[in-house]
Amino acid sequence: MIRGSKRTGRALVLASSLILAGCSGWQSALDVHGESAITLKQLIVLIVAVCSIVWALVMIALVFALARRRARREPPAQVDAATERRMTVTVSAAVAATVMVITAFTVLSFFTTRALSVAGADDLTIKVRGLQWWWGVEYFGDAPDQRFETANEIHIPVGRKVRLQLEGLDVIHSFWVPSLAGKQDLVPGRPNELTLRAERPGVYRGQCAEFCGLQHAHMAFFVIAEEQGKFDEWARLQRQGAAAASEPEASAGQQAFMSRQCAACHTVRGTSADGKTGPDLTHVGGRTTIAAGLLPTTRGSLAAWIADPQTLKPGNNMPLVPMNPDELRAISAWLASLK
């Protein structure tokens, strides 16, 4: 019996550890570093606390009712008016408390959800488009030359509200970066907005939270929060076109890229490539990952992706473009140099 109790205790400790492990990390709604996420966490904690108290009171009442010994009564049973009044008052109080709790939860949830889309005129505005299966990101500016596009990475300044204009272009997606904000759907034909703000620098992982097809699980993105100065420098570099290839292999890769179908699907600013089907590749070599978080951005990963994208991410819209090994090495070298 003692050994059995020890084993049971160890199993409970292990199970508790596994459950609590999900309360931290860069994709936990309880490990928060943004204004909206902090508000949501407070709401979650409040609801869990109130529900726990309600559950405890119900269990106490149940135990009390089961343990109470009723006096035997000979038929016909006599109705105790005082007892009936007490029971009526108790049930009425429980019903009123239930209505009050549900009403309070509804009102708090309503105002918390509204706060997720509150933005000001001086907020940074970014358009995020959800596609199968990657994220298009467009930064606005006062002049046309201030605008630029990137993919699967969203850089934001710390301590400043950012207004995200969300659009779905094919099916319903859901934008969710739990450490910074709540979820918001991207519905085709119905623009939505979400406001987020990072309170400290860091890299925060996001994920599509609405099943959107075969590669839904491989539709991640990263929000990179940095100080205002670093963000301004990053944005300045992003506005520039692709740097001219300085090495012979990269130069050959640029020529091969332009002569293939690649230039018809992707944009590389500063070159003749102006495709809109796939992600903007102007600075693809400076991104953390490719294929929406599937692979780290290395020359080898770029070559593997170009060589056979359907094996790495079945069902995506990038076709297999036949090319010889020299062309593959050259194109991967050029793309890796675009930083």
Side-chain angles (χ1 to χ4, degrees), residues 86-136:
R86 287 197 301 272
M87 292 178 63
T88 300
V89 170
T90 301
V91 172
S92 299
V95 171
T98 301
V99 172
M100 291 174 61
V101 169
I102 293 176
T103 302
F105 284 169
T106 302
V107 172
L108 288 173
S109 299
F110 172 75
F111 284 105
T112 300
T113 303
R114 284 193 61 186
L116 298 181
S117 58
V118 173
D122 60 340
D123 295 339
L124 175 65
T125 301
I126 304 172
K127 179 176 287 186
V128 178
R129 299 181 180 91
L131 303 99
Q132 291 176 310
W133 291 273
W134 58 281
W135 304 88

Side-chain angles (χ1 to χ4, degrees), residues 154-158 180 198-204 223-227:
I154 304 172
H155 287 245
I156 63 173
V158 172
L180 296 181
E199 302 299 335
R200 71 179 190 183
V203 179
Y204 304 97
V223 177
I224 302 173
E226 48 203 358
E227 298 297 340

Side-chain angles (χ1 to χ4, degrees), residues 313-332:
K313 199 168 184 177
N316 79 88
N317 291 326
M318 181 170 170
L320 176 61
V321 179
M323 58 183 67
N324 60 53
D326 291 337
E327 290 176 323
L328 181 62
R329 284 193 293 268
I331 291 177
S332 63

Side-chain angles (χ1 to χ4, degrees), residues 243-258:
S246 58
E247 298 182 358
E249 187 177 30
S251 180
Q254 180 177 349
Q255 294 177 9
F257 185 94
M258 298 302 165

Side-chain angles (χ1 to χ4, degrees), residues 151-209:
N152 303 318
E153 284 189 4
I154 304 172
H155 287 245
I156 63 173
V158 172
R160 182 180 175 186
K161 281 191 175 182
V162 179
R163 179 192 304 179
L164 301 179
Q165 298 179 348
L166 306 176
E167 293 184 354
L169 298 187
D170 39 37
V171 299
I172 298 176
H173 301 279
S174 184
F175 183 95
W176 188 36
V177 50
S179 292
L180 296 181
K183 299 177 185 177
Q184 187 62 275
D185 286 345
L186 293 82
V187 182
R190 181 182 173 184
N192 277 333
E193 286 195 357
L194 179 68
T195 301
L196 56 83
R197 169 176 165 166
E199 302 299 335
R200 71 179 190 183
V203 179
Y204 304 97
R205 189 181 189 277
Q207 175 68 40
C208 178

